[in-house]
C-alpha cells in the first residue's frame, strides 16, 4: 500500500437517535467506497470512537476525515497541538456536519487555519431545509449533477477573511422559513437574518487551499444518514476526500455502488 494515498477516518461516539449523526456507519460507507474505487486509495478506520489511541495511524496519511460531535464535545479539542503539527505537514482534512462546529478561541482559530471556515455559535444556524445545488467548475463536482436534498444544512459559517483560499462547493440562498425560530446559539441572530434578507447566498460545503499546501473540506450536511443513498450527495463527499488527499479525481467522479435501504442500515450505532 506504499504507493496508495492513505485516508484516516475518525468517528465520534453516538450523539443522536437512530439514522441521525451515524458517525461510524457513515464513515464506513465512505471508506468502503474509496477502497473499492481502484483509484489508489487505502482507507484506515480508527477502530474505536474518538481520537486515535494509537497515533501511528497517522503515519503516511494524506488526509483525515472527521465525523463527530462538535463544539465542546469535538474529538480534536484535547488534541489541537498534535493535530496542528499534522496539518503543518500538508495533510488534508475533511470535517462532516457537527464536526465543523468549533469552540470560539483556539479551536476556532485552528479550524480556520486548517479548513478555512467553521460553524460558530451565535453566528451560524442549523435548520433543516432543502437547498438546490448548481454545478460549478471544480474537480469536486466531477460526475455530479445539480441536485436538491433535505438535510440539516448549517449555514452562515465563519470563514477566513475575504474567503481567501476558499472555493464554495455547495451554495444556495436559504428561504426565510429557515429563520422562523427565535434567536439563539444555533437558531438565529441579527447578522444571519440580515444576510438572508439581503439575498446573500450561503455556502454549506467548501474547499480550502492552505498556504502550507494542505487542503481542507467542510461539509455541513450529514445529519440524515439515509442521504448517503443519494448518488450526487455521496459522490461530492468521495470526490472531496480525494481532493484533500491530492489524488486525481476521474472526470466521472469517484465510482461507487448504489446503496439499498438494507445497506444504509448496516453498522448503525
Amino acid at each position: 500500500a506504499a504507493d496508495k494515498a492513505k485516508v484516516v477516518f475518525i468517528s465520534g461516539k453516538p450523539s443522536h437517535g437512530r439514522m441521525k449523526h451515524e458517525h461510524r456507519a457513515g464513515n464506513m460507507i465512505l471508506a468502503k467506497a474509496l477502497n473499492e474505487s481502484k483509484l489508489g486509495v487505502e482507507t484506515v478506520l480508527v477502530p474505536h470512537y474518538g481520537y486515535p489511541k494509537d497515533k501511528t495511524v497517522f503515519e503516511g496519511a494524506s488526509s483525515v476525515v472527521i465525523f463527530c460531535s462538535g463544539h465542546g464535545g469535538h474529538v480534536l479539542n484535547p488534541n489541537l497541538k498534535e493535530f496542528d503539527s499534522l496539518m503543518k505537514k500538508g495533510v488534508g482534512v475533511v470535517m462532516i456536519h457537527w464536526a465543523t462546529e468549533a469552540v470560539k478561541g483556539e479551536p476556532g482559530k485552528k479550524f480556520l487555519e486548517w479548513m478555512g471556515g467553521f460553524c460558530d455559535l451565535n453566528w451560524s444556524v442549523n435548520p433543516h431545509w432543502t437547498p438546490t445545488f448548481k454545478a460549478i467548475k471544480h474537480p469536486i463536482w466531477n460526475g455530479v449533477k445539480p441536485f436538491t436534498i433535505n438535510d440539516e444544512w448549517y449555514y452562515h459559517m465563519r470563514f477566513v477573511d475575504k474567503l481567501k483560499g476558499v472555493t464554495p462547493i455547495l451554495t444556495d440562498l436559504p428561504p426565510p422559513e429557515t429563520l422562523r425560530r427565535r434567536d439563539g446559539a444555533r437558531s438565529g441572530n441579527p447578522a444571519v437574518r440580515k444576510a438572508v434578507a439581503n439575498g446573500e447566498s450561503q455556502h454549506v460545503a467548501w474547499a480550502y487551499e492552505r498556504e502550507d499546501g494542505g487542503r481542507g473540506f467542510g461539509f455541513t450536511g450529514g445529519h440524515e444518514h439515509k442521504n448517503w443513498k443519494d448518488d450526487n450527495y455521496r459522490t461530492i463527499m468521495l470526490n472531496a476526500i480525494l481532493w484533500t488527499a491530492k489524488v486525481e479525481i476521474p472526470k466521472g467522479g469517484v465510482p461507487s455502488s448504489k446503496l439499498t435501504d438494507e445497506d444504509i442500515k448496516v453498522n448503525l450505532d
Side-chain angles (χ1 to χ4, degrees):
D3 59 340
K4 293 185 177 181
K6 180 179 178 180
V7 178
V8 178
F9 285 79
I10 297 174
S11 311
K13 63 184 181 181
S15 64
H16 284 58
R18 181 180 170 84
M19 296 286 284
K20 316 289 182 185
H21 289 227
E22 293 285 354
H23 306 137
R24 177 172 167 272
N27 275 346
M28 292 178 83
I29 285 171
L30 297 171
K32 181 174 183 287
L34 289 172
N35 279 340
E36 294 176 349
S37 71
K38 298 180 180 178
L39 293 175
V41 181
E42 175 204 11
T43 65
V44 180
L45 189 81
V46 173
H48 56 79
Y49 294 125
Y51 199 77
K53 295 172 185 175
D54 178 5
K55 307 306 189 300
T56 63
V57 73
F58 290 131
E59 291 178 3
S62 295
S63 189
V64 180
V65 178
I66 304 172
F67 194 4
C68 67
S69 296
H71 205 252
H74 205 291
V75 299
L76 293 183
N77 288 343
N79 305 284
L80 287 177
K81 286 186 178 179
E82 181 183 323
F83 200 75
D84 189 46
S85 66
L86 195 67
M87 296 293 97
K88 281 183 166 58
K89 294 176 183 176
V91 177
V93 65
V94 174
M95 296 198 199
I96 303 173
H97 199 48
W98 201 3
T100 63
E101 187 181 276
V103 176
K104 282 184 175 67
E106 192 63 15
K109 176 175 173 284
K110 288 301 173 187
F111 277 40
L112 283 178
E113 290 177 12
W114 304 334
M115 197 170 56
F118 70 97
C119 180
D120 189 9
L121 293 192
N122 297 301
W123 177 261
S124 309
V125 290
N126 68 345
H128 285 260
W129 57 298
T130 310
T132 297
F133 300 124
K134 296 178 181 178
I136 65 162
K137 212 170 184 180
H138 192 283
I140 292 176
W141 266 90
N142 285 4
V144 180
K145 298 176 181 177
F147 66 104
T148 182
I149 193 165
N150 183 272
D151 207 332
E152 186 183 45
W153 295 103
Y154 307 162
Y155 69 82
H156 201 239
M157 309 298 276
R158 183 77 70 179
F159 288 110
V160 291
D161 190 39
K162 298 180 181 178
L163 291 177
K164 185 180 179 182
V166 172
T167 301
I169 297 297
L170 297 179
T171 298
D172 195 13
L173 176 63
E177 302 84 68
T178 59
L179 293 173
R180 280 186 300 196
R181 296 176 293 174
R182 294 179 180 178
D183 284 359
R186 298 181 177 89
S187 55
N189 57 75
V192 69
R193 294 182 190 282
K194 182 180 179 181
V196 172
N198 287 345
E200 297 174 18
S201 294
Q202 300 296 315
H203 315 312
V204 302
W206 65 95
Y208 182 56
E209 298 193 62
R210 307 197 300 260
E211 291 184 1
D212 60 16
R215 294 174 173 181
F217 182 74
F219 182 85
T220 73
H223 182 92
E224 300 290 346
H225 185 60
K226 65 182 180 181
N227 284 349
W228 297 119
K229 286 173 55 183
D230 185 280
D231 293 342
N232 293 302
Y233 182 99
R234 188 176 66 256
T235 303
I236 279 278
M237 178 56 68
L238 294 172
N239 287 351
I241 294 170
L242 245 61
W243 183 80
T244 62
K246 298 182 180 177
V247 176
E248 187 175 351
I249 303 168
K251 288 185 178 180
V254 177
S256 64
S257 301
K258 288 186 176 295
L259 299 173
T260 65
D261 287 340
E262 290 68 34
D263 293 331
I264 213 75
K265 292 174 183 175
V266 174
N267 301 311
L268 298 182
D269 287 328

